[in-house]
Structure formats: structure tokens, C-alpha cells
Amino acid sequence: MRAMSDTLVVNEIYLSLQGESTFAGLPCIFVRLTGCDLRCSYCDTAYAFSGGHRQSLARVRAEVRRLARPFREVRRPKSEGRGDRLPLVELTGGEPLLQKNSLSLMQALCDDGFTVLLETSGAHDISPVDPRVRRIMDLKCPGSGEVTRNRWENLRYLKSTDEIKFVIATREDYEWARKRIAKHKLAAICPLLFSWAHPLASEQQHKLLKKVPPGHTPISRQELAERIIADALPVRFQVQLHKVIWAPEARGV
């Protein structure tokens, strides 16, 4: 029997387009790990709270290589570095950092020459992550119901190649994020993302998700975009591109 220390519980692995971050639109292999200790009000991947299958790190790595093979066969300019090759690989969840072997997997994928992205809630220590990994770290706004879980100590570990994401569901979220950007001088650290919280489809509305705090006012995509412009915020407005291309509730895309 394979040692538990050499495995991860994986929900799904698939090839699609990166839907968010400054890498939006690029081919990306997603490794979705099972498990999360947050229950954000807008979470669209509650199916990854549980389930999945335990797999060895070698098997996960082999599947990533298999999915990447067609891209590896494309002739690229010799001047390109190993880290410039497509597709990207992203570890997401759930919360990848809940499984300690995610650190070993990310290191191995970097060694394989992939550009590796990590989607993390910001509630866990990011300092052990391989410095070659591009960390996309949330700062949870009040509308998530999980604002108290922000690990502010993580800010000291962020690099210019990392990204901070705010998911904006309400006007109150916007104001909270705007003030934190100014207070912590976040624009001087790394790129900042404002992601509009897409309403959940009925089948995505998990009973364990937190509720938006009473008295909060939902914000539309247009209002969010116009407020960013009016306030001259140094942020990148983003929608979840995969939800524009495919049905919002579709999996494996």
C-alpha cells in the first residue's frame, strides 16, 4: 500500500483556459484538490469540499505531463525560457495548502519547467511555497462571511510576481477593499485583482455556505467597473472568463 505521505486527495484534473488573474485566456491545466476550511458565501466549487480520490504525487505529475504533451510538441523559439512554456498549471481547490503534499507537487512541477499558479484563500501560511510559484492570494471581503480568516502576516511574503485578489459581492466589499489597498499600500507589492462575484446557480448554493452580512447591498458588474474608474484604483477588473464561455455551473472547464 502506498504511504499516505506520498499522496494527495484530488477532486479533478483537466485542461482548459485560465479564467482569472493576469494569466486569463491562456491554456492551463487545473489540479483541483479536495477540502476547504472556509465557506465563502459566493463559493462556486462547494463540490470540492469533499470527495475526490487519493492519488500519488507521481500519478498527478504524470497526468499533468500527459495533458501538456500536445503543447510540448509545438516548436517554440529557442530564446524562450523553460518557464515560458504552455500550458500553465494551477493548483486550486478547495484550499490546496490544507494538504501539505501540495508543496512537494508544486516544487516538482516547477522543476518540470511549468509556470505554476497557486489559488489560495489567504487563510494559510504561504511562506513555505516554492518561490517560483505564482501565488494568487485572496483577501476575503466582508461579503464572503470569512473576513476574520484573513492571515495578514502573509502580506510580508508576497513578491512582485504574486497577485492579490478581492472578490467583490457588495458595495460594502468594494469600500472595504479600497481602504485596505490604501492602508497596506498593496499596489506597491504586486498586481491587484477585483473579481466580481458571479451569482450562484441553484445547484451551486451549498447549504453550508456563509450568508452575506445583513444590510449589505449587492453590486453589479457595471457598477463595480464604474467605481474602479471613478476612484482611479490601481486594480485589474476581472470577470471569470470560463463563465462567459461556458455555463456558469459547468465543471471541468
Side-chain angles (χ1 to χ4, degrees):
M1 181 179 296
R2 186 174 298 279
M4 298 284 280
S5 61
D6 191 32
T7 61
L8 287 164
V9 182
V10 180
N11 190 277
E12 56 185 350
I13 304 177
Y14 60 93
L15 172 64
S16 185
L17 297 180
Q18 176 58 239
E20 302 181 78
S21 79
T22 60
F23 294 91
L26 291 175
C28 183
I29 296 168
F30 293 87
V31 179
R32 187 180 304 283
L33 301 184
T34 297
C36 188
D37 54 344
L38 273 63
R39 295 292 183 266
C40 299
S41 62
Y42 44 72
C43 179
D44 57 1
T45 53
Y47 62 87
F49 291 166
S50 59
H53 300 280
R54 187 168 293 278
Q55 300 184 29
S56 69
L57 297 184
R59 181 176 177 182
V60 174
R61 195 174 176 186
E63 176 63 5
V64 169
R65 288 172 170 170
R66 185 188 70 81
L67 291 171
R69 190 172 300 126
F71 292 88
R72 299 312 202 204
E73 293 170 354
V74 175
R75 301 187 70 176
R76 311 279 295 201
K78 293 182 179 180
S79 61
E80 287 192 356
R82 284 166 54 85
D84 295 324
R85 296 187 301 178
L86 292 176
L88 309 167
V89 180
E90 177 175 293
L91 266 68
T92 186
E95 169 52 64
L97 294 181
L98 282 179
Q99 300 190 53
K100 298 306 180 185
N101 277 338
S102 65
L103 299 174
S104 299
L105 177 61
M106 287 186 281
Q107 182 180 33
L109 291 171
C110 287
D111 291 343
D112 287 341
F114 290 103
T115 295
V116 179
L117 315 179
L118 168 67
E119 279 272 2
T120 180
S121 67
H124 299 275
D125 185 8
I126 66 170
S127 63
V129 176
D130 190 295
R132 294 171 292 179
V133 173
R134 309 293 187 95
R135 297 169 295 190
I136 303 167
M137 188 190 82
D138 279 17
L139 284 176
K140 298 298 185 184
C141 299
S144 69
E146 296 285 17
V147 68
T148 61
R149 297 296 305 276
N150 287 318
R151 184 184 174 92
W152 293 100
E153 303 94 316
N154 279 334
L155 294 181
R156 74 183 68 164
Y157 302 118
L158 291 170
K159 312 182 303 298
S160 61
T161 53
D162 296 322
E163 303 179 13
I164 297 172
K165 180 174 71 175
F166 298 88
V167 178
I168 309 294
T170 67
R171 292 174 179 173
E172 290 76 14
D173 285 349
Y174 176 85
E175 287 302 319
W176 184 90
R178 183 179 64 81
K179 292 175 182 177
R180 274 29 182 213
I181 290 171
K183 178 181 178 180
H184 297 283
K185 299 180 174 58
L186 299 181
I189 299 176
C190 63
L192 307 178
L193 312 171
F194 270 28
S195 182
W196 180 68
H198 197 289
L200 298 178
S202 58
E203 57 265 46
Q204 295 175 305
Q205 295 172 358
H206 196 282
K207 63 182 180 180
L208 295 180
L209 298 185
K210 299 288 181 70
K211 301 296 183 184
V212 175
H216 278 220
T217 303
I219 192 169
S220 69
R221 278 179 295 192
Q222 181 176 331
E223 182 180 356
L224 175 56
E226 290 174 349
R227 285 195 173 207
I228 290 171
I229 294 169
D231 290 336
L233 289 189
V235 304
R236 178 186 294 261
F237 172 78
Q238 61 173 19
V239 294
Q240 294 171 294
L241 183 61
H242 47 289
K243 293 184 179 179
V244 177
I245 301 171
W246 295 283
E249 66 277 12
R251 299 187 188 184
V253 294

